[in-house]
């Protein structure tokens, strides 16, 4: 066990004391994620502006460009790329889970995916080179898929961070701290980098593409350093893991993940309806949250004619407000039901998105976007801590890695749908506010499904499963055989028999 620094202030002490010495690696990785996300924001602006110019429209005009380039409206290019990326990511999720579970290469998978992210980020620095913008935009598919795989690998480490904590209260408190700190690291990095990149652009007189190019190159170097600190085992951060599941003869490593995903979902649906409902609700929630930034940026640039500085000012407000919210979320969840916190966040975001689309209709109302930025910031800081803390208390001990795999699959399976719906409605109605209404619909669906979960009953079911698990049996996945619930319940603490999707 590692101790934290002494003499720290009460408000921030929880960010510096950890049960596991590997937890700082998770935080470094979360900071790297923040840098990558920021580059995506700038890339959206650059691609949309360059596409608008190639389509023969004036990027500074108040009118929405309805011309086409490469067969698409400029405002629809990045949403379609997000749609394709989401579909590919959903396919790769079970494969990534199988590699983590059925091979000894979890740590190596984290290194490789981090390397791909770093290289792609640096290469996308060529966005300012004439006639390359569309190829650079297509590289975003590789970036998003690599990022998704990387998140699966990193998240699979988190259950080990509470090894040795015996009570539910201790585990809950530790997960609350870890998740709050991860959100703080991600949003904190974004909060620092956005004004820094804008300042460099203003001082250097850079174009939108020029700012994006600088952001890609600088962030590529930064994430390389952060990934090194996160994944260098010599520093005591994220370390190599042994193979968790032995393979029966004849098992196909590429199809095993899909078989086990089906088997795990069948088990959950039969034994724990509350957990099944949570996974469905989280699919809607993450689909909305993952599409929020790109849709909001395109809405502000197209509908409100916001400049890159004005749009990023709104995003910066969201991030600044999210930081104290992220810190406060750990304390709030120590006192309140984290699931109720998640439900309230869904309802809140649905209302805010609807009002944003209805009230803010043109460039003369841009000032209202700053106010909504404050409102959105409260939810962003709380949600990412609350949903994961809720989930970690709804899954049985000894199968955390397996269940984190199916969670990540659920969170990716329909992320392509909001961008696709937005692109279709935008093309049909020529009104980008429909993107916000699409988000509101997904948040509302998430709230309704979350609301049907009995948190106390679900935790009682998990407690019973944990008791039964003490007498469980190890198993191997035979070719073509779907594992049964009893077989999935491995001995408590026996990591070699844990399974993933």
């Amino acid at each position: 066990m590692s101790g934290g620094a002494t003499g720290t202030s009460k408000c921030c002490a929880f960010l510096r004391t950890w049960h596991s010495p590997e937890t700082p690696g998770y935080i470094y990785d979360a900071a790297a994620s923040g840098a990558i996300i920021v580059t995506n924001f700038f890339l959206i602006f650059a691609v949309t502006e360059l596409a608008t110019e190639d389509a023969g429209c004036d990027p500074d005009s108040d009118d929405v460009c309805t011309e086409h380039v490469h067969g698409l409206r400029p405002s629809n290019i990045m949403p379609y790329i997000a749609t394709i990326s989401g579909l590919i990511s959903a396919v790769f999720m079970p494969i990534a889970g199988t590699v983590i579970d059925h091979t000894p290469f979890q740590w190596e998978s984290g290194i490789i995916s981090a390397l791909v992210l770093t290289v792609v980020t640096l290469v996308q620095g060529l966005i300012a080179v004439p006639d390359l913008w569309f190829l650079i935009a297509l590289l975003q598919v590789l970036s998003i898929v690599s990022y998704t795989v990387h998140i699966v690998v990193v998240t699979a480490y988190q259950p080990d961070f509470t090894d040795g904590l015996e009570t539910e209260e201790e585990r809950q408190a530790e997960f609350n701290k870890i998740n709050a700190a991860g959100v703080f690291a991600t949003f904190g990095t974004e909060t620092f980098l956005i004004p820094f990149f804008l300042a460099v652009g203003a001082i250097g007189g850079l174009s939108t593409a020029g700012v994006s190019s600088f952001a890609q190159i600088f962030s590529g170097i930064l994430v390389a350093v952060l990934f090194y600190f996160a994944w260098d085992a010599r520093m005591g951060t994220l370390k190599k893991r042994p193979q968790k599941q032995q393979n029966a003869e004849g098992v196909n490593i590429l199809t095993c993940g899909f078989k086990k995903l089906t088997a795990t979902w069948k088990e959950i649906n039969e034994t724990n309806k509350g957990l099944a409902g949570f996974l469905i609700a989280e699919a809607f929630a993450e689909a909305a949250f993952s599409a929020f930034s790109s849709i909001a940026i395109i809405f502000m640039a197209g509908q409100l004619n916001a400049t890159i500085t004005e749009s990023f000012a709104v995003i910066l407000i969201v991030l600044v407000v999210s930081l104290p919210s992220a810190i406060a979320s750990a304390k709030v969840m120590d006192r309140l039901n984290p699931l109720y916190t998640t439900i309230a966040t869904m309802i809140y975001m649905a209302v805010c998105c609807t009002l944003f689309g209805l009230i803010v209709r043109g460039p003369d109302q841009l000032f209202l976007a700053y106010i909504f930025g404050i409102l959105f910031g409260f939810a962003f800081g709380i949600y990412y801590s609350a949903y994961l803390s809720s989930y970690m208390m709804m899954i049985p001990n000894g199968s955390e890695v397996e269940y984190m795999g199916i969670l990540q699959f659920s969170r990716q399976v329909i992320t392509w749908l909001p961008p696709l719906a937005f692109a279709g409605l935008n093309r049909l109605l020529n009104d980008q506010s429909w993107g916000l209404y699409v988000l509101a619909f997904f948040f509302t669906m998430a709230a309704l499904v979350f609301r049907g979960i009995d948190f106390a009953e679900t935790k009682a079911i998990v407690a019973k499963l944990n008791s039964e698990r003490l007498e469980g049996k190890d198993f191997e996945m035979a070719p073509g055989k779907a594992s049964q619930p009893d077989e999935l319940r491995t001995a408590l603490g026996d990591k070699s028999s844990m399974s993933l999707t």
Side-chain angles (χ1 to χ4, degrees), residues 78-111:
M78 294 308 286
Y80 276 125
I81 287 177
T83 298
I84 295 170
S85 303
L87 288 169
I88 296 176
S89 295
V91 172
F92 267 88
M93 294 293 291
I95 298 174
T98 302
V99 170
I100 296 171
D101 191 34
H102 285 267
T103 75
F105 302 130
Q106 178 178 349
W107 183 79
E108 288 81 0
S109 298
I111 295 292

Side-chain angles (χ1 to χ4, degrees), residues 462-482:
V462 171
K464 181 179 179 181
L465 289 175
N466 288 339
S467 298
E468 295 175 356
R469 186 180 295 262
L470 293 173
E471 300 178 357
K473 299 179 180 179
D474 295 344
F475 77 101
E476 286 185 331
M477 178 68 114
K481 175 186 176 184

Side-chain angles (χ1 to χ4, degrees), residues 416-490:
W416 53 272
L417 195 50
L420 180 62
F422 166 60
L425 290 170
N426 182 35
R427 184 184 183 92
L428 180 65
L429 303 174
N430 197 28
D431 184 351
Q432 294 172 354
S433 63
W434 276 94
L436 296 168
Y437 304 147
V438 168
L439 295 179
F441 170 79
F442 276 80
F443 282 126
T444 301
M445 291 300 298
L448 291 174
V449 181
F450 275 132
R451 185 65 184 85
I453 300 172
D454 188 325
F455 195 46
E457 178 182 337
T458 301
K459 290 199 296 182
I461 292 173
V462 171
K464 181 179 179 181
L465 289 175
N466 288 339
S467 298
E468 295 175 356
R469 186 180 295 262
L470 293 173
E471 300 178 357
K473 299 179 180 179
D474 295 344
F475 77 101
E476 286 185 331
M477 178 68 114
K481 175 186 176 184
S483 53
Q484 297 301 314
D486 288 341
E487 293 174 305
L488 287 170
R489 294 168 188 155
T490 53

Side-chain angles (χ1 to χ4, degrees), residues 211-453:
V211 176
S212 178
S213 177
F214 176 79
Q216 297 289 152
I217 295 172
F218 184 92
S219 295
I221 297 172
L222 176 61
V223 298
V225 174
L226 290 171
F227 281 143
Y228 173 78
F229 282 114
W231 292 91
D232 187 351
R234 294 171 299 177
M235 300 182 64
T237 48
L238 300 175
K239 302 176 183 177
K240 291 179 69 68
R241 291 289 191 271
Q243 183 170 331
K244 299 177 177 67
Q245 178 79 31
Q246 297 301 317
N247 301 323
E249 185 178 354
V251 167
N252 187 323
I253 201 72
L254 295 179
T255 60
C256 181
F258 294 95
K259 293 177 181 177
K260 299 191 77 174
L261 176 67
T262 303
T264 304
W265 172 253
K266 181 179 179 181
E267 178 202 14
I268 292 173
N269 195 44
E270 291 177 351
T271 63
N272 195 337
K273 296 293 185 182
L275 183 56
F278 186 96
L279 293 171
I280 295 172
E282 186 55 31
F284 284 102
E286 178 59 18
F289 268 110
S290 66
F292 177 86
S293 296
S294 59
I295 288 178
I297 288 174
I298 293 172
F299 170 76
M300 288 188 290
Q303 197 90 355
L304 307 183
N305 199 29
T307 65
I308 184 172
T309 301
E310 291 168 336
S311 295
F312 276 109
V314 175
I315 294 175
L316 190 60
I317 289 172
V318 173
L319 294 173
V320 169
V321 175
S322 72
L323 293 178
S325 297
I327 295 175
S329 67
K331 297 297 182 182
V332 171
M333 289 186 294
D334 283 342
R335 293 171 172 80
L336 300 177
N337 183 331
L339 181 62
Y340 287 162
T341 304
T342 304
I343 295 171
T345 304
M346 295 298 101
I347 297 173
Y348 179 85
M349 284 296 293
V351 172
C352 286
C353 286
T354 302
L355 293 178
F356 192 24
L358 290 174
I359 296 174
V360 186
R361 300 297 302 171
D364 59 330
Q365 296 174 308
L366 178 61
F367 70 96
L368 292 174
Y370 301 114
I371 298 175
F372 275 96
I374 297 173
L375 300 177
F376 287 128
F378 290 123
F380 269 78
I382 294 174
Y383 162 72
Y384 285 101
S385 301
Y387 94 85
L388 194 52
S389 293
S390 301
Y391 186 72
M392 294 306 297
M393 301 311 299
M394 298 171 69
I395 60 179
N397 296 336
S399 287
E400 292 94 340
V401 178
E402 175 187 1
Y403 281 80
M404 292 306 291
I406 197 169
L407 171 65
Q408 292 304 322
F409 177 82
S410 297
R411 299 185 77 228
Q412 291 295 323
V413 70
I414 59 170
T415 54
W416 53 272
L417 195 50
L420 180 62
F422 166 60
L425 290 170
N426 182 35
R427 184 184 183 92
L428 180 65
L429 303 174
N430 197 28
D431 184 351
Q432 294 172 354
S433 63
W434 276 94
L436 296 168
Y437 304 147
V438 168
L439 295 179
F441 170 79
F442 276 80
F443 282 126
T444 301
M445 291 300 298
L448 291 174
V449 181
F450 275 132
R451 185 65 184 85
I453 300 172

